[in-house]
Amino acid sequence: MARLQIRQKDYKDEGDRDEAQKLLIQGLTVAESSNNKRRLARYQRSLARWERRWGSVQKACQLSTQAINSFERLGMTRDAEEMQTLLDCP
């Protein structure tokens, strides 16, 4: 199975941002279908960051909450705490 990875960078135009979102959603789908809980939590985190920056704040909050819950279930407390800062939602 090919690994989908996106390095965090500034996407200069809308096409790059759209491509990044597409790859993140693909990765999330692969993680869900393969039942890879760590990878799923990380894709939730990455997509939440993407949404926070270029998409919907509401969707970012939803994904952040999902990532926090996933990280906590996995015992990844540092990651859960990091996501808590992103969860500063209106």
Side-chain angles (χ1 to χ4, degrees):
M1 172 174 34
R3 278 185 81 180
L4 300 171
Q5 291 185 349
I6 296 180
R7 298 208 186 276
Q8 194 138 22
K9 67 174 191 171
D10 276 317
Y11 292 97
K12 303 220 182 303
D13 63 38
E14 194 171 318
D16 287 343
R17 289 192 303 264
D18 291 344
E19 182 66 16
Q21 182 188 33
K22 179 182 167 186
L23 291 171
L24 286 167
I25 291 169
Q26 270 184 316
L28 187 73
T29 302
V30 169
E32 286 174 336
S33 65
S34 65
N35 203 27
N36 187 327
K37 296 185 186 317
R38 282 184 188 270
R39 185 173 290 170
L40 178 60
R42 290 178 177 138
Y43 272 106
Q44 289 167 335
R45 172 178 56 198
S46 295
L47 194 52
R49 288 176 176 160
W50 188 97
E51 288 289 347
R52 182 78 167 180
R53 185 160 183 189
W54 292 297
S56 160
V57 173
Q58 182 179 3
K59 183 71 174 171
C61 292
Q62 176 188 12
L63 287 161
S64 295
T65 300
Q66 290 173 354
I68 289 167
N69 292 337
S70 296
F71 286 132
E72 287 176 347
R73 278 193 301 273
L74 292 165
M76 301 171 71
T77 54
R78 183 175 293 167
D79 293 281
E81 290 168 1
E82 175 189 314
M83 284 309 299
Q84 199 63 46
T85 62
L86 185 65
L87 194 58
D88 184 23
C89 300

